[in-house]
Amino acid sequence: MAEYITIRSSTKEQFIDITGLVQGVIDKMGIKDGLCVVYVPHTTAGITINENADPDVIGDIEGHLDKLVPGSGDYRHIEGNSPAHIKSSLVGHSVTIPIESGKLLLGRWQGIFFCEFDGPRARQVIVKLIKEV
Ligand code: ZN
């Protein structure tokens, strides 16, 4: 069973905490134990897990990704959004999280973030649940 979640980013680059939305899929499906795969089918967006307590952590990640991958430079891709493609590959396209007793087994400070690198636009996030047998 795959569930599609629509995410609407409001700026060019934006990390959006989707932990509650993903937990909502688990609640809806009634899975108690298993695995949760969260995946983005896009080439200029990503998925990561990091701290959702202090927003400065996400700000630092965004700021340092900008230093690693400048907005302009010697890019060949004619569409002009190579920085977004590169950041997408650096961050990755999926995370896998254990489910126990119906809850995501995230650490105390962890959240799941959808990472927009070429917004604003509507995006899809796919949540796939695998039930433990
Ligand atoms: Zn492109």
Side-chain angles (χ1 to χ4, degrees), residues 43-44 77 79-82 85 118:
T43 60
T44 55
H77 177 43
E79 197 184 9
N81 61 352
S82 280
H85 287 289
D118 198 17

Side-chain angles (χ1 to χ4, degrees), residues 113-131:
F113 289 88
F114 169 81
C115 313
E116 176 64 79
F117 297 117
D118 198 17
R121 61 168 99 179
R123 300 287 206 169
Q124 295 296 310
V125 172
I126 298 171
V127 178
K128 182 86 174 173
L129 303 178
I130 302 160
K131 188 176 180 179

Side-chain angles (χ1 to χ4, degrees), residues 3-4 9 18 20-21 24-26 37 40-42 51 55 83 101 117 131:
E3 188 81 6
Y4 286 72
S9 56
I18 59 167
L21 293 171
V25 172
I26 295 167
V37 178
V40 285
H42 301 292
E51 178 167 335
S101 303
F117 297 117
K131 188 176 180 179

